[in-house]
Amino acid sequence: MIICREFCLVLSISAVMCLAALVGPDFACAQDGETGTDEIRIQSIEIRMSFSNGDVRPAIAEDLRSAIKEVAELAILDQLEGSLQVLEDDLAEVTEVLERVLDLTLDKRGFRVESLSIIPGEVTIIDLEVAIAGVEIIDVLVELVPPIRGELVSEMLSGLQDELISSLRRQFQGLPANDVTWITLLFNQALQREYERLPDFRLFEYRFELIPAAITRVVIYLTPAPKTSVVRRHFLHTRSSTLLNISLDRLREVLLVEMASLDGLPKEFIERHLDSIETRLAQVAVGVGALEFYDAEVSVSLTFRGSDLHASAIVESKKYRTSVGGRVDFNREMKNPRIEGTIGIKAFSHAELYAHLKFFPDKVNFEPEIGIGINPGKNVFVGGGWDFDREVIKLSGDVWFGTNLRVSIEHFPDDEWRDDSEYGITYQLNENFSISAIADGAGSGFVALGVKL
C-alpha cells in the first residue's frame, strides 16, 4: 500500500482506545446481563468516501479508503464485537470518536474530515467526505542532472524529462504536500514504476531530492547503470575546402566543449540519440561567430570506435572558396617547395569564379590562374581556368571522401604541358598537416608533405 503503515497503526490504536473508553463499561455490563443469542451482528463495513475539493488520484483515494476501512473494522467489528445494538445505542459518540481520530491523523497528510456519518446495519456504512487541508500540489517540475552538465546532454535528456514530468504531474496534481516523509515515499514508488517503464531511464542509476510545495521540484541525479558501457573519450575531425583552417579554430573549440558533456554517458544512450546529437552539434557550429562571414553550412556525423566517440564536421561556405597552404615534394627535383592559395566567389547554380596562385620561392616563380568552376556537392569541385604562366587551359578537380581523404587532379589538355599534370591522393593527418602520393603526366611518382593555414 502507498499509505504508510504507521498511518493505519495510529488510526487503529487511537480509535480502539477511544472506543474502549467510551463503550467498554456499558458493553461489558450488557454482556453480563444478556445471552446475546438473538442479537443482530454487524457482518461487514462499507466505506463511502468522497472529496469535497481537489482531484485526488484514484490509487491514493483507494489506499485512504482501505486504511480507513481497516480502522473501522478493528473498532466496530473487533472492539464492539460487531454488536449492532451497542453501535445504535452509542451512535453519536462512536461517530464523534471516529471523526476525531480520523481528523487528527489525516491532518498530518494534509487532509481533513469534512463530514462523517455512520449508517448502522448488518452492512454498516460509513459515509465520509474528505477535503484537502494542506498545501496542494498544482504542478511537478523534474530536473535531470547527468554526470557532466551541458546544453547538449540536457537536450538529449529532454525527452525523458518530459515523460517524467507528464507522468508525475498526472499522478500528483491535487495531492497535499504537507507530510514530507509520506510524499517522498509516494514519489519514490512512482519513480520506480517509471524506471521500469522507460528504456532510457533504465540505462542509469538514480537518486533524487524532493522539494514539496505547490510547485513540487524533483531533482534526479543520474549515473550510468552498473556494467553499462560508457563513452571514455571523444575526438573531433574537421575539414573544409572553402574555409581557411584558422577560421575553424573557434568552431573546434566550441564543438569539443559541447562533446565533453557526453563523456561518461552510457554508449547505448548516445547511440539512441545520434541523429539529435548530430543535428544539435551542427546547429551550434553554424552559430559560431567566426563562421558568420562565410555563411557556412555544417554537417556532423558521429561514429563509435570501441568506447571512443568520433565526430566528423564538414564545413563549407555558401559564398566563398578560400585556402592557403604549402607543400614540400620529396624524391622530386623540380619546383620544391611551393606555396599556393585560392579565392573563389560562388554564384548561382553552384557556379564559381576563382583565382589560383602558385609561388615557388626557390626559383621566385609565380603561376597565376583564373577560372570558372562548379560545386555540385559539398565533396566535389570541378573547374577549368587559364594558366597565365604557361598560357594554356588547365582543368582542376577535387573529390573529398569523409574528412581525411581527398583525390585531386591538375590536368593540362595541351600536349606541350601534359607532363606538368598532377594526379594525387591526399590523406589529412590532422587539421594542419597532410601527406600526398602524386603522379605527374610523365609517369613519375613522388610524395609530398602539405600544411594548410
Side-chain angles (χ1 to χ4, degrees):
M1 288 178 63
I2 297 177
I3 303 300
C4 301
R5 290 179 181 271
E6 54 97 5
F7 181 29
C8 295
L9 185 60
V10 170
L11 279 174
S12 302
I13 293 173
S14 301
V16 168
M17 290 179 66
C18 291
L19 286 172
L22 175 66
V23 303
D26 294 336
F27 185 52
C29 293
Q31 290 278 340
D32 290 339
E34 299 177 11
T35 61
T37 55
D38 297 327
E39 186 177 356
I40 299 175
R41 296 289 177 181
I42 300 170
Q43 302 300 318
S44 63
I45 303 293
E46 179 182 337
I47 305 295
R48 295 178 181 174
M49 184 174 65
S50 61
F51 294 89
S52 62
N53 61 348
D55 180 22
V56 177
R57 302 283 78 80
I60 304 295
E62 185 56 37
D63 281 329
L64 282 172
R65 179 182 290 105
S66 297
I68 292 169
K69 183 178 181 180
E70 184 177 337
V71 172
E73 288 175 344
L74 183 62
I76 296 174
L77 297 183
D78 292 354
Q79 183 64 24
L80 300 185
E81 296 188 1
S83 173
L84 181 58
Q85 184 65 49
V86 172
L87 178 58
E88 289 175 337
D89 290 346
D90 297 302
L91 182 60
E93 291 83 354
V94 173
T95 301
E96 181 185 350
V97 168
L98 276 180
E99 182 173 348
R100 187 168 65 248
V101 171
L102 287 173
D103 216 12
L104 287 171
T105 309
L106 287 173
D107 181 67
K108 298 178 181 178
R109 300 290 184 259
F111 295 95
R112 72 173 185 273
V113 177
E114 195 90 324
S115 64
L116 184 145
S117 61
I118 300 175
I119 305 172
E122 289 190 47
V123 177
T124 292
I125 298 171
I126 298 178
D127 195 343
L128 74 160
E129 187 176 33
V130 177
I132 294 174
V135 175
E136 183 179 341
I137 296 175
I138 61 175
D139 201 1
V140 177
L141 300 181
V142 176
E143 179 185 355
L144 298 178
V145 181
I148 301 176
R149 299 193 189 210
E151 290 186 12
L152 177 58
V153 69
S154 293
E155 186 168 306
M156 293 167 59
L157 290 168
S158 62
L160 174 59
Q161 181 173 285
D162 291 343
E163 285 268 9
L164 290 172
I165 289 174
S166 176
S167 179
L168 295 177
R169 179 183 290 151
R170 189 169 57 250
Q171 293 181 59
F172 291 100
Q173 267 184 342
L175 197 67
N178 294 45
D179 191 326
V180 176
T181 302
W182 180 57
I183 204 71
T184 300
L185 173 66
L186 297 182
F187 269 91
N188 183 46
Q189 294 175 339
L191 284 174
Q192 288 175 2
R193 292 191 296 270
E194 296 303 313
Y195 188 81
E196 295 300 322
R197 185 177 71 88
L198 300 172
D200 277 354
F201 205 3
R202 292 199 299 272
L203 295 173
F204 298 91
E205 284 189 328
Y206 73 92
R207 64 180 179 86
F208 75 97
E209 294 178 0
L210 187 71
I211 307 171
I215 299 178
T216 294
R217 290 184 58 228
V218 188
V219 183
I220 303 175
Y221 299 91
L222 301 174
T223 55
K227 299 181 180 179
T228 300
S229 178
V230 300
V231 176
R232 298 297 180 188
R233 297 177 298 176
H234 60 274
F235 299 91
L236 174 64
H237 313 272
T238 60
R239 70 101 163 146
S240 177
S241 60
T242 58
L243 275 71
L244 292 176
N245 204 34
I246 56 175
S247 301
L248 299 178
D249 288 345
R250 178 57 182 160
L251 169 72
R252 296 188 191 100
E253 179 184 329
V254 170
L255 291 183
L256 285 170
V257 169
E258 289 285 330
M259 293 180 65
S261 63
L262 302 179
D263 290 350
L265 288 179
K267 180 180 174 182
E268 184 179 346
F269 179 70
I270 292 178
E271 288 174 333
R272 290 178 182 175
H273 297 272
L274 276 182
D275 290 344
S276 62
I277 298 173
E278 291 171 350
T279 301
R280 166 67 181 175
L281 290 175
Q283 290 172 344
V284 170
V286 170
V288 173
L291 303 185
E292 185 177 354
F293 170 79
Y294 294 96
D295 191 15
E297 293 179 311
V298 183
S299 61
V300 178
S301 60
L302 298 172
T303 56
F304 273 102
R305 298 176 191 173
S307 295
D308 296 337
L309 181 63
H310 289 254
S312 297
I314 298 175
V315 187
E316 302 295 357
S317 171
K318 299 177 186 177
K319 297 180 177 179
Y320 309 106
R321 186 166 66 95
T322 59
S323 66
V324 176
R327 193 180 99 189
V328 176
D329 300 337
F330 297 93
N331 64 302
R332 191 185 193 194
E333 296 180 359
M334 57 185 299
K335 296 181 179 178
N336 178 35
R338 72 180 69 186
I339 299 171
E340 54 189 319
T342 301
I343 176 67
I345 308 297
K346 294 183 178 183
F348 58 91
S349 300
H350 309 291
E352 176 186 319
L353 177 65
Y354 69 90
H356 187 74
L357 177 67
K358 290 182 183 178
F359 171 58
F360 299 89
D362 60 334
K363 295 186 177 182
V364 192
N365 184 29
F366 291 90
E367 293 184 4
E369 174 190 351
I370 292 179
I372 296 176
I374 59 171
N375 298 271
K378 295 179 181 179
N379 303 321
V380 181
F381 167 77
V382 178
W386 181 259
D387 186 317
F388 288 91
D389 182 53
R390 297 177 178 84
E391 297 185 339
V392 294
I393 292 174
K394 184 176 77 173
L395 304 178
S396 304
D398 288 303
V399 180
W400 280 92
F401 299 92
T403 56
N404 299 107
L405 193 63
R406 176 170 61 95
V407 175
S408 59
I409 65 167
E410 290 184 357
H411 177 70
F412 292 96
D414 193 297
D415 290 340
E416 181 182 355
W417 302 102
R418 189 164 293 172
D419 288 354
D420 287 350
S421 300
E422 291 185 356
Y423 314 93
I425 299 177
T426 300
Y427 183 80
Q428 200 73 30
L429 300 172
N430 53 38
E431 284 76 15
N432 300 307
F433 296 99
S434 62
I435 188 167
S436 303
I438 301 172
D440 61 21
S444 299
F446 55 93
V447 295
L449 179 65
V451 60
K452 183 182 177 184
L453 301 180

